[in-house]
Amino acid sequence: DAKTTQPTSMDCAEGRAANLPCNHSTISGNEYVYWYRQIHSQGPQYIIHGLKNNETNEMASLIITEDRKSSTLILPHATLRDTAVYYCIVWLLGANNLFFGTGTRLTVIP
Amino acid sequence: GAVVSQHPSWVICKSGTSVKIECRSLDFQATTMFWYRQFPKQSLMLMATSNEGSKATYEQGVEKDKFLINHASLTLSTLTVTSAHPEDSSFYICSARDSQVQETQYFGPGTRLLVL
């Protein structure tokens, strides 16, 4: 699986957009980009995933660069409940397991 | 999204005893489930892949005789920590992939194990 690089931590003001970057320069053509988050003492929560095109759902937007070497997760209006560790994972469709890196600890500040 | 449950949420046991943790996919069938372990301030580490009707596949360094996995149905996998010791105290999390929609894994809420 391709490796991802994320900042260790980020702060965001409540109500503002949170933009979480992820580098995956060695991603292969058929690997997806997945985002999960883990709120303290809970299991990871699926957020969004994409292959090439930008994606949006009720939780977030995913912007993938044209060369697919990096992506950004956007939480459009961060709330205090969005404080969590956010994991960016690249995953080959059909491969068995997801490998978690260290993620980005996002703190939403009132 | 799909729902995965775990039982129990918390368990405290004496050293030397065995503990069973259940993982259920509530609204989908899962031919493959995964067991992770997470120590404080660390990321999730995959322990094993549980396959319905066959033996589990364990990651390097995980003792298969200590962490027994059974995946007897398409909605249930169990992890039994045998002869638990204090160093087995951790947060155990399962995940499941929908057999029909292969693209996403959904995670359970986790089980916190404390071995005294």
Side-chain angles (χ1 to χ4, degrees), chain A residues 9-15 18 20 36-43 45 47 59 75 77-86 104-110:
Chain A
S9 63
M10 291 180 62
D11 291 341
C12 177
E14 186 179 16
L20 292 91
Y36 285 81
R37 72 179 181 184
Q38 187 177 26
I39 296 169
H40 182 63
S41 295
Q42 297 182 24
Q45 177 188 22
I47 301 174
M59 290 184 67
L75 307 179
H77 305 286
T79 70
L80 299 179
R81 285 179 288 186
D82 292 323
T83 292
V85 178
Y86 287 77
T104 296
R105 181 172 298 278
L106 174 69
T107 302
V108 180
I109 303 169

Side-chain angles (χ1 to χ4, degrees), chain A residues 14-25:
Chain A
E14 186 179 16
R16 295 295 190 105
N19 297 286
L20 292 91
C22 179
N23 287 325
H24 31 78
S25 58

Side-chain angles (χ1 to χ4, degrees), chain B residues 3 19 21 25-26 28-29 76 86-87 93 95-96 108:
Chain B
V3 179
V19 175
I21 303 170
S25 57
L26 297 186
F28 65 97
Q29 293 183 332
L76 173 64
E87 57 265 31
I93 307 167
S95 71

Side-chain angles (χ1 to χ4, degrees), chain B residues 3 16 19 21 23 27 29-30 32 40-41 50 54-55 59 62 70 74 82 99-100 105-107 113 116:
Chain B
V3 179
V19 175
I21 303 170
C23 176
D27 51 1
Q29 293 183 332
T32 306
K41 297 187 178 181
S50 170
S54 64
K55 292 183 179 180
E59 294 299 305
V62 178
N70 184 275
L74 289 172
T82 62
S99 302
Q100 300 299 317
Q105 279 188 33
Y106 298 96
F107 286 80
L113 170 64
L116 302 178

